Amino acid sequence: MMNRTLVVAAHLAFILVGIWGGFQVFDLIAK
Amino acid sequence: MRRSLAKSIGSLVGIGGVAFSITLLSQSMRAVEAVGGYCASGGPYQIRQSCPSGVAGAFPLAIIGGLVFLGLFVFCASDRGRSVAMLAWSALFLTLAWNFIDYGVKGGSGGGAGFLIPGVLFVLMGAAPLFYVVPNMWKSFLGQDPNQSAAPSPFLRYSGLPSTSAPAPAATPSWPSTSGWGMPSPAASTVTPAASTATVAGTSSSGSDDLASELERLASLHRRGELTDTEYEAAKQRALAHGGTT
């Protein structure tokens, strides 16, 4: 269970990083 | 069984990449809404409304990138986690729905209540799969078999039994438990092939031959008009009930 929670948490963290990255890249390419 | 590190990283990068692509697509859509809801760029035409710089390239990048990242996730995720990929559909449609509704409510240049229609439509399209996917994901997270629910999804159900009105065979194989995609997994079968073959051979090898020839004989009589439809149906039911020993 602990292991599964860690896996889910890691994926959620990467989703957040992805969203943040999406905003950053958009700001970079769309002027 | 431990998954390889490469697959774990691939799964993380894949899901992060999908989130990245949907965000990029959403932001690009908002940029187009900000200039009136439509734009064009390139080509030897006189363009009424040019796209904001970079947006024309961001759309294909986001769409193709999203599909590639989704494929990476599906390839690398474990059997249990793979169904999370279905959430990409909901994430995409609900994100775009928010943009439509926001644009429809705020109005602005080119916006208006008309945009609420695709907004509501996208909410319905995005939310509908959640009612099935989320409960199963939760069960999967808790370590239960997601396909053992009381009301399995009709499109994931599989029936391998013939659709005749014959009585159930002596050894009806209980359908094997299925993996996250709803596909049968032979390893999980409760009936070994050798056992089921032996049972079938032992109980109904000659019986099925008799039944087949009896059904053929009845069909032939029916075709020749020697049996009416009612008589044929009754005789067929009797033959099926008695396994060809009428």
Side-chain angles (χ1 to χ4, degrees):
Chain A
M1 187 59 136
M2 184 65 188
N3 204 7
R4 265 204 295 270
T5 308
L6 276 176
V7 169
V8 172
H11 281 79
L12 285 175
F14 266 71
I15 289 173
L16 290 178
V17 170
I19 293 171
W20 176 80
F23 280 109
Q24 298 305 309
V25 169
F26 181 81
D27 285 346
L28 211 66
I29 63 175
K31 295 289 179 192
Chain B
M1 185 177 73
R2 289 188 69 81
R3 294 191 302 130
S4 70
L5 183 66
K7 282 210 163 185
S8 298
I9 293 172
S11 164
L12 289 168
V13 170
I15 204 164
V18 171
F20 166 83
S21 302
I22 292 177
T23 308
L24 193 58
L25 188 67
S26 168
Q27 287 299 96
S28 305
M29 179 179 167
R30 294 184 80 86
V32 174
E33 285 176 347
V35 296
Y38 66 93
C39 69
S41 63
Y45 310 108
Q46 188 179 6
I47 293 171
R48 186 174 170 194
Q49 175 62 61
S50 292
C51 289
S53 164
V55 166
F59 271 110
L61 179 70
I63 294 168
I64 296 170
L67 290 172
V68 169
F69 280 122
L70 189 64
L72 177 70
F73 174 75
V74 168
F75 179 73
C76 295
S78 66
D79 285 344
R80 268 184 197 289
R82 199 164 289 146
S83 60
V84 172
M86 292 186 200
L87 290 184
W89 169 278
S90 298
L92 174 66
F93 277 90
L94 291 177
T95 305
L96 301 187
W98 167 249
N99 286 349
F100 275 127
I101 290 172
D102 192 37
Y103 193 46
V105 170
K106 279 186 185 162
S109 58
F115 282 92
L116 293 176
I117 296 171
V120 170
L121 198 66
F122 273 43
V123 166
L124 294 176
M125 287 173 71
L130 294 180
F131 291 100
Y132 174 71
V133 175
V134 170
N136 277 353
M137 274 175 52
W138 182 242
K139 281 182 193 166
S140 185
F141 177 72
L142 295 176
Q144 299 166 356
D145 184 350
N147 289 303
Q148 293 298 315
S149 61
S153 165
F155 55 83
L156 289 182
R157 201 182 299 157
Y158 180 84
S159 168
L161 295 172
S163 59
T164 65
S165 55
T172 304
S174 63
W175 198 248
S177 69
T178 54
S179 67
W181 283 98
M183 300 295 287
S185 68
S189 174
T190 52
V191 177
T192 62
S196 66
T197 310
T199 313
V200 169
T203 56
S204 61
S205 171
S206 62
S208 63
D209 287 350
D210 288 351
L211 178 61
S213 60
E214 175 70 8
L215 288 174
E216 277 169 7
R217 194 174 69 83
L218 291 172
S220 163
L221 289 170
H222 181 233
R223 266 198 305 277
R224 292 205 302 265
E226 293 176 35
L227 285 176
T228 65
D229 288 350
T230 322
E231 288 167 341
Y232 169 65
E233 275 305 316
K236 193 171 84 171
Q237 294 303 326
R238 213 166 36 241
L240 289 169
H242 292 90
T245 56
T246 51

